[in-house]
């Protein structure tokens, strides 16, 4: 008795039949996807990234008993030092100084970056128009707070491994503005840090 298993694999002709039957749907979907991709690609504005580098000097400490300098620095203390610099660079006082120098709060264009944020802002505006709601007038303090938050979102501060370097990166649609913000932030923080040391 010959027990042969039936061939259950579909024939290539069946694939061809299915593809030829729905070829216009497949071609139409492909054209729509390519068109949408090209539309959003050309619609998107390029985002530029500028980076400023800071050298973090080793903090000198003195023994409370002998007054001699202690050059020993543990990994934990170094990590705390860098984390402190992270927090201070993005502190409101430093960011407000950058905003004041570059007059970012007086610009007509928003400095937010990203197509999703732009789409979200447009959707919110459309909903507001549909609901016929009056646009809320912000006080100067509220505008400054919003600018500080937006600027903080566009910052990226990272430590260069095995070095005493900090990289401050800023992203924006305007390449000159991103460079100016990065340089101004580094300069403002250096002055802020020197001022704090002089006070102490």
């Amino acid at each position: 008795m010959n027990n042969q298993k039936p061939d259950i694999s579909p024939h290539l002709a069946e694939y061809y039949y299915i593809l030829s039957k729905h070829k216009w749907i497949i071609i139409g979907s492909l054209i729509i996807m390519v068109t949408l991709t090209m539309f959003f690609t050309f619609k998107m504005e390029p985002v530029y990234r500028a980076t400023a580098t800071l050298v973090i000097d080793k903090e000198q400490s003195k023994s409370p008993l002998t007054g001699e300098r202690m050059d020993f620095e543990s990994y934990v203390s170094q990590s705390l030092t860098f984390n402190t610099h992270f927090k201070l660079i993005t502190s409101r006082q430093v960011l407000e100084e950058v905003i004041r120098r570059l007059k970012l709060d007086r610009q007509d264009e928003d400095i937010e970056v990203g197509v999703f944020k732009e789409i979200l802002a447009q959707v919110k505006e459309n909903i507001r128009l549909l609901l016929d709601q009056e646009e809320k007038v912000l006080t100067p303090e509220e505008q400054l707070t919003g600018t500080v938050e937006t600027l903080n979102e566009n910052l990226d501060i990272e430590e260069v491994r095995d070095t005493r370097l900090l990289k401050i990166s800023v992203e924006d649609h305007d390449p000159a503005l991103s460079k100016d913000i990065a340089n101004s932030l580094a300069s403002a923080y250096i002055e802020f840090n020197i001022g704090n040391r002089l006070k102490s």
Side-chain angles (χ1 to χ4, degrees), residues 16-44:
Y16 176 77
Y17 172 75
I18 293 172
L19 291 176
S20 60
K21 183 179 179 181
H22 302 288
K23 66 180 178 180
W24 294 115
I25 296 176
I26 297 171
I27 293 173
S29 301
L30 182 62
I31 291 173
I32 291 172
M33 291 298 295
V34 171
T35 304
L36 288 175
T37 302
M38 291 177 63
F39 173 76
F40 282 109
T41 300
F42 289 118
K43 183 87 174 167
M44 288 175 60

Side-chain angles (χ1 to χ4, degrees), residues 63-176:
S63 170
L65 298 177
T66 63
E68 295 180 358
R69 272 179 27 184
M70 301 172 60
D71 293 331
F72 173 75
E73 184 181 33
S74 66
Y75 173 80
V76 175
S77 63
Q78 183 178 352
S79 178
L80 287 173
T81 300
F82 275 100
N83 287 335
T84 301
H85 286 292
F86 288 156
K87 294 296 184 183
L88 291 177
I89 290 172
T90 57
S91 65
R92 184 175 177 112
Q93 185 175 350
V94 175
L95 295 183
E96 281 185 2
E97 177 62 22
V98 174
I99 292 169
R100 186 189 63 78
R101 290 183 183 183
L102 300 178
K103 299 179 181 177
L104 297 178
D105 53 340
R106 300 179 191 174
Q107 290 188 354
D108 294 329
E109 295 183 358
D110 194 0
I111 62 173
E112 285 189 352
V113 175
V115 66
F116 294 108
K117 288 184 180 179
E118 293 174 358
I119 293 173
L120 183 60
Q122 187 62 45
V123 169
K124 288 180 179 178
E125 178 67 16
N126 292 338
I127 292 174
R128 186 185 64 79
L129 291 174
L130 287 174
L131 297 177
D132 197 25
Q133 295 179 347
E134 294 185 3
E135 187 175 359
K136 182 182 177 182
V137 179
L138 299 177
T139 64
E141 181 63 26
E142 290 174 335
Q143 290 179 351
L144 179 60
T145 300
T147 307
V148 168
E149 292 175 354
T150 303
L151 179 59
N152 197 9
E153 289 174 1
N154 293 332
L155 295 178
D156 181 27
I157 303 174
E158 59 180 346
E159 174 188 356
V160 180
R161 189 174 180 181
D162 297 329
T163 68
R164 293 186 177 277
L165 300 178
L166 280 182
K167 286 187 175 292
I168 303 174
S169 299
V170 181
E171 292 184 347
D172 196 87
H173 292 304
D174 185 351

Side-chain angles (χ1 to χ4, degrees), residues 41-71:
T41 300
F42 289 118
K43 183 87 174 167
M44 288 175 60
E45 293 183 59
V47 177
Y48 299 93
R49 183 180 180 94
T51 302
T53 304
L54 289 178
V55 179
I56 306 300
D57 289 333
K58 184 177 180 180
E59 295 187 0
Q60 302 293 341
S61 58
K62 293 184 178 180
S63 170
L65 298 177
T66 63
E68 295 180 358
R69 272 179 27 184
M70 301 172 60
D71 293 331

